[in-house]
Amino acid sequence: MIRIVIILSLFAMSSLTMASDGVSISKGKELFTSKQLGTNGKSCNLCHPDGKGLTKAAVYDESELGEIINQCIKNPLKGEVLDPTSTEMKSIVMYIKSLAQSTQH
């Protein structure tokens, strides 16, 4: 009985962690400015400070934008491409799309 309670508690804790770790603009910005996407110590923000030059990228659909992002991760950042369905990719796409929205207001 104690094992069941412990297992259920661990499951509940992991579910809460996953829920709090969802897709968001802030997570996308965090990844965009961090050096963790590549292996050469650079970030997306190095070439695109504060998203400069990316407001027009928001016109692409999520799939096309994901491919462009992965090309940047693979080539300039020398990193491993992201799964298009991952929380990380969806968050970066959301952040880049938010750049265009912020200039429209």
Side-chain angles (χ1 to χ4, degrees):
M1 183 68 168
I2 293 175
R3 283 186 180 171
I4 294 173
V5 171
I6 291 171
I7 291 170
L8 290 175
S9 295
L10 290 173
F11 178 75
M13 287 172 49
S14 72
S15 295
L16 287 174
T17 301
M18 287 171 41
S20 67
D21 201 32
V23 176
S24 70
I25 292 172
S26 61
K27 183 177 187 74
K29 184 175 183 179
E30 178 184 321
L31 289 165
F32 189 86
T33 58
S34 83
K35 297 174 184 175
Q36 76 183 52
L37 293 176
T39 60
N40 61 4
K42 297 179 181 176
S43 71
C44 302
N45 197 59
L46 181 67
C47 294
H48 306 282
D50 298 320
K52 184 177 180 180
L54 296 179
T55 55
K56 293 181 181 175
V59 300
Y60 294 105
D61 69 33
E62 290 182 17
S63 175
E64 292 172 311
L65 189 51
E67 288 178 24
I68 293 166
I69 291 166
N70 269 333
Q71 285 301 312
C72 288
I73 291 171
K74 181 179 177 183
N75 295 317
L77 299 183
K78 306 294 185 213
E80 294 292 322
V81 298
L82 297 174
D83 178 336
T85 63
S86 69
T87 300
E88 291 81 7
M89 178 60 83
K90 290 180 179 182
S91 293
I92 294 172
V93 166
M94 185 181 284
Y95 170 66
I96 291 173
K97 287 191 171 281
S98 78
L99 297 172
Q101 293 171 355
S102 67
T103 60
Q104 293 175 357
H105 293 90

